[in-house]
Amino acid sequence: MREDLNNLQKKYTAELNEATSLKKLDELFLKLFGKSGEITTFPKSFPSLPKDEVKVIAPLFNKTKQELESALEKRREEVKLAGFKKILEEPLGLKDVSSKTLDKIPSKKREGHMHPITQFEEEIVHAFAKLGFQQFEAPHIDSDTYNFEKLNIPQEHPARDLWDTLYIDQTYLGPNPSKLLLRTHTSNSQVRIMEKFQPPIRLMNLGRCFRYENVDARHEHTFEQFELIYIDKGLSMANLLYLSEYFFQAIFGYDVKARLKPKYYPFVEPGAGVDGLCIFCKGKGCKICGGVGWLELAGAGMIHPTVLKNGGIDPDIYSGIAWGVGPGRMAMLRHEINDLRLFNSGDLRFLNKF
Ligand code: DAH
């Protein structure tokens, strides 16, 4: 029996050392420790042996069993490691490309161009520059004060819901830091402009705005706005109507009538929704204007006396016009695009069309 055990150990140790794959090791495992494996079945003869013999052979069997088990485990690790090494040392199989071959590969020349909205904005800026409006920059990250408070939208005012935005976490600045946020509209330029300049003022502000928005085909969380601020003596809604018609005609290139309808914006009084005669059906009523014949294109109004005061301008002497539009929406109309999200998609199939 002792010899049998010895032979068994020798035979399998040799086989284990020769095995070079995990599959082969699995086979050896089954031959030894499987249901009818040689180690599993070995003790079956113990009951027929004399007790003295069992006393000697049983511990020897256990020792052999353990040694084979650990030899198997050790070999398994060695085979695994050899496999990893082989992968690491394998050449990548890249073809040697000489510079001559490279020269023969034709390179596509791609010319960039301005983003469709940027193109559109250039036209808007150009049109109003002709009327003497100059550009003004307001920060994208702004304080609650300029984006809301000074525009007659105090804390807790329900109108804030319309302009919900993303706030900058400033807890590290202490308990009551001034609130910073991503500006929700270019109207954040209004009071800054008044603080900086004396009337007559003709300025325009263009740029990115941000909202905590339910994104869909007509709403984006990041979008462009354009704002006009015109402050002088004796301005009225008639000037506002003129500016609106001037804008539509400059952008759509023909006689687009504008009409004003009352609309609430806290920083203007009266406030107006500015409609343009539908450019698709010319007022007859179609799918795009919902049968109304008009499209609401801009928001505007006479600057609220409180806002003028907040900017240090006397509302008894001066009046002001504030006028805002979303270039993205306008570009959608002009190019008949049905999804605002395409503009920020970075999809060249779309962008290359402009
Ligand atoms: N800031 C407004 C918005 O984001 C748009 C707007 C409305 C601008 C009326 C104006 C205005 O200047 O007078 O919805």
Side-chain angles (χ1 to χ4, degrees), residues 163 184-185 187 190 211 225 227 265 267-268 299-301 322-324:
W163 289 282
T184 56
H185 47 186
S187 306
Q190 292 188 12
R211 291 202 191 155
Q225 269 199 355
E227 183 112 356
Y265 296 103
F267 38 91
V268 282
W323 194 95

